[in-house]
Amino acid sequence: MVAMFSATDYVMFAALLMLSACIGVFYGCCGSKQTTAREFLMADHNMGILPICLSLLASFLSSVLLLGVPAEVYTFGSSVAILMIGMGAGIASSSFLYLPVFYKLRVTSAYEVIRLQTHRSHSFI
């Protein structure tokens, strides 16, 4: 038996798309206007810890992760848990080593750090 979408599924999908579109249009027209990239990407360094943590959590817990990990465990067994140890080490190292440096330098990517370093080296020549 092939499972198919019913009319209720299509209505719910359309309603979700409309809600997302309405939120985007509202904030595009009536929301606060960010004038610089710093205001848009870094919230002008005025965000609290909770929104930042929730944003990082949403980034890490993507739908690919939620769908992919159970499939990996089913296919390859629980040895996939070793990957979680590496993932935890990567998250910890980026949280305690890289993010404080990025925050102090007020940059959003590694490319900006490289740009700062190259400009600094060219200024001495």
Side-chain angles (χ1 to χ4, degrees), residues 73 77-86:
V73 170
S78 60
S79 63
V80 176
I82 296 171
L83 293 174
M84 297 303 158
I85 296 169

Side-chain angles (χ1 to χ4, degrees), residues 32-108:
S32 64
K33 303 291 184 198
Q34 290 105 3
T35 56
T36 65
R38 180 177 306 273
E39 288 177 2
F40 181 74
L41 294 173
M42 304 287 282
D44 213 18
H45 285 273
N46 292 327
M47 286 183 77
I49 192 75
L50 184 64
I52 294 171
C53 289
L54 291 176
S55 174
L56 288 172
L57 181 67
S59 297
F60 284 125
L61 293 178
S62 67
S63 60
V64 173
L65 178 76
L66 293 175
L67 292 173
V69 170
E72 290 280 330
V73 170
Y74 179 77
T75 305
F76 300 110
S78 60
S79 63
V80 176
I82 296 171
L83 293 174
M84 297 303 158
I85 296 169
M87 188 179 206
I91 291 170
S93 66
S94 67
S95 297
F96 295 112
L97 296 176
Y98 296 112
L99 288 180
V101 173
F102 281 22
Y103 189 80
K104 265 193 234 178
L105 292 174
R106 294 186 173 261
V107 296
T108 57

Side-chain angles (χ1 to χ4, degrees), residues 103-123:
Y103 189 80
K104 265 193 234 178
L105 292 174
R106 294 186 173 261
V107 296
T108 57
S109 72
Y111 297 113
E112 290 183 58
V113 175
I114 293 169
R115 185 181 53 118
L116 287 173
Q117 291 297 323
T118 57
H119 284 294
R120 201 174 287 151
S121 65
H122 289 300
S123 65

